[in-house]
Amino acid sequence: MKAFNQLYQQHYTTVFRVAIKMLGDADEAADIVQEVFLTLFQTMDKGTVVEYPRSWLYRMTLNKCIDRQKYNGRFLQLDSAPEERVEDQTIEKQEARQGVQEALAKLKPEERALAVMYSEGLSYKEMAGATGIRFSSIGKTLSRTLKKLEAELKTKKYELY
């Protein structure tokens, strides 16, 4: 139980952030986070050792988000994108964030997952473990995904870098 609590404390925010980037809805993201940690608890309760918990949590979160999107029969709806509560944000930043959300919504779920993990600073090894893509293919797949994202952002007059 202590190991689970420690993992929960360390990774809750990250798992929630990934879920909200994938789904664009805070309520759905919270549901996913609850499902992920419930699954982790049940796995650990059976005595199974989760060797790489960070990768495991990313993988489980991404899988559950993709399943939710398929179940809902839709991808990110622009009107459900999370609203920022920071009052001092400029209109430019808000528009840029909305542009990125729109561009992400046009990616396939697996591509969106890679883009989200890249934005979270995961290593190629962690991305490979979380997505099931071979380590040797991560760089090229990520490169293609970022080029797609960049092309989409350019059509909206935004820059990726």
Side-chain angles (χ1 to χ4, degrees):
M1 186 63 129
K2 184 177 180 182
F4 172 78
N5 286 336
Q6 187 176 19
L7 288 171
Y8 181 83
Q9 294 295 323
Q10 288 176 343
H11 298 287
Y12 176 84
T13 305
T14 303
V15 170
F16 182 76
R17 193 172 50 240
V18 168
I20 203 162
K21 285 180 181 179
M22 287 292 294
L23 299 171
D25 183 293
D27 291 333
E28 283 192 36
D31 289 346
I32 293 294
V33 171
Q34 184 176 3
E35 290 175 26
V36 167
F37 280 106
L38 179 62
T39 304
L40 176 64
F41 180 80
Q42 291 169 340
T43 301
M44 293 176 77
D45 194 42
K46 291 178 188 174
T48 305
V49 176
V50 178
E51 206 167 318
Y52 301 102
R54 183 175 178 199
S55 295
W56 189 94
L57 287 168
Y58 271 102
R59 175 77 175 183
M60 188 62 64
T61 303
L62 295 172
N63 286 344
K64 288 190 179 290
C65 288
I66 290 169
D67 289 347
R68 178 71 54 100
Q69 290 170 334
K70 287 178 183 176
Y71 177 78
N72 290 342
R74 62 168 175 76
F75 294 105
L76 178 66
Q77 296 293 320
L78 299 179
D79 58 359
S80 69
E83 292 182 21
E84 292 295 319
R85 291 192 167 83
V86 180
E87 294 178 17
D88 64 334
Q89 272 198 334
T90 64
I91 292 174
E92 272 182 24
K93 282 186 177 181
Q94 290 173 348
E95 288 175 354
R97 182 165 275 121
Q98 183 176 357
V100 170
Q101 288 291 336
E102 290 173 11
L104 281 171
K106 293 189 178 183
L107 295 175
K108 295 177 187 174
E110 295 80 13
E111 294 170 334
R112 187 177 316 135
L114 273 179
V116 167
M117 287 186 288
Y118 179 74
S119 74
E120 290 290 319
L122 268 70
S123 69
Y124 283 12
K125 182 178 180 181
E126 290 172 318
M127 286 184 211
T131 62
I133 299 172
R134 288 189 329 233
F135 176 77
S136 60
S137 300
I138 287 288
K140 190 65 173 172
T141 306
L142 180 61
S143 175
R144 288 180 185 148
T145 298
L146 293 177
K147 283 181 183 178
K148 278 176 132 176
L149 189 59
E150 183 178 25
E152 185 60 38
L153 288 171
K154 280 185 180 180
T155 65
K156 298 180 183 327
K157 309 271 192 272
Y158 295 109
E159 299 267 336
L160 183 59
Y161 304 102

